[in-house]
């Protein structure tokens, strides 16, 4: 049995997820705090991966919301001490199944995310394909990445 659980965040887990995002993106990567929480957070579904043997501590998170024909994924973060264990991949695999089955995303043809350019190989290993030019976001090079959503399971 796995020591981890991936699921939609409860209200308290959402608060832990925000704290994790601030730690990863603001404290470590030095993005501005005022850019971390934005107008999309209230619209998004927030997923977490928790460690069952550590009092269900949130160790990873991401968010997703509809943006036209895309399911826009963002704020993918795994706590540094848990990176390299496949947890980010598990989060994305869980999300992919969710997108295939949740009626809120039935109009979405692709999952889309803006990857930090130096993290793109991780997303490629998860089946995402880069499209378009590299762009700057807050001084950090990014690239759009896409993955088709297979709705045959609905």
């Amino acid at each position: 049995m796995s020591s981890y659980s991936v699921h939609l965040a409860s209200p308290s887990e959402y608060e832990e997820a925000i704290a994790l995002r601030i730690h990863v993106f603001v404290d470590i990567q030095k993005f501005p705090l005022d850019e971390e929480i934005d107008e999309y957070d209230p619209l998004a579904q927030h997923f977490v991966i928790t460690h069952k043997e550590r009092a269900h501590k949130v160790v990873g998170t991401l968010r997703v919301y509809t943006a036209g024909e895309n399911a826009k994924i963002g704020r993918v973060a795994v706590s540094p001490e848990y990176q390299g264990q496949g947890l980010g991949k598990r989060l994305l695999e869980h999300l992919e199944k969710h997108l295939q089955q949740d009626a809120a995303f039935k109009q979405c043809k692709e999952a889309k995310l803006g990857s930090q350019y130096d993290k793109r190989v991780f997303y490629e290993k998860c089946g995402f394909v880069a499209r378009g030019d590299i762009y700057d976001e807050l001084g950090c090079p990014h690239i759009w990445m896409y993955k088709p959503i297979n709705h045959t399971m609905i």
Side-chain angles (χ1 to χ4, degrees):
M1 185 167 156
S2 174
S3 297
Y4 299 96
S5 172
V6 182
H7 52 272
L8 279 166
S10 70
S12 64
E13 289 170 333
Y14 171 74
E15 295 302 322
E16 284 186 67
I18 294 296
L20 175 59
R21 285 171 34 187
I22 290 170
H23 177 61
V24 170
F25 297 121
V26 177
D27 298 340
I28 297 172
Q29 295 185 357
K30 305 302 181 196
F31 287 103
L33 177 60
D34 61 348
E35 296 286 336
E36 182 50 36
I37 310 304
D38 62 22
E39 68 273 18
Y40 300 107
D41 277 310
L43 306 173
Q45 294 181 6
H46 298 264
F47 287 83
V48 293
I49 187 163
T50 59
H51 195 300
K52 294 177 186 176
E53 296 169 9
R54 300 280 188 272
H56 297 276
K57 174 184 175 180
V58 171
V59 298
T61 186
L62 61 75
R63 72 178 187 187
V64 63
Y65 57 90
T66 59
E69 293 186 341
N70 292 313
K72 174 71 171 63
I73 302 168
R75 305 305 200 263
V76 180
V78 173
S79 185
E81 60 267 30
Y82 291 89
Q83 290 177 6
Q85 300 178 36
L87 301 182
K89 183 176 181 182
R90 281 190 57 187
L91 262 171
L92 288 167
E93 287 170 345
H94 182 88
L95 177 64
E96 184 174 3
K97 290 175 189 165
H98 179 79
L99 294 176
Q100 291 169 343
Q101 298 173 3
D102 187 334
F105 295 96
K106 69 181 176 185
Q107 82 282 3
C108 297
K109 296 179 179 173
E110 293 181 301
K112 173 183 180 181
L113 60 85
S115 171
Q116 293 176 22
Y117 191 72
D118 65 341
K119 310 287 190 285
R120 73 191 181 287
V121 173
F122 164 75
Y123 294 108
E124 288 169 347
K125 289 178 180 177
C126 294
F128 286 81
V129 175
R131 284 203 314 248
D133 295 327
I134 298 169
Y135 64 94
D136 179 83
E137 187 169 321
L138 301 170
C140 179
H142 282 67
I143 192 157
W144 289 113
M145 302 194 77
Y146 299 83
K147 185 174 183 177
I149 298 172
N150 177 359
H151 291 287
T152 58
M153 294 178 67
I154 294 177

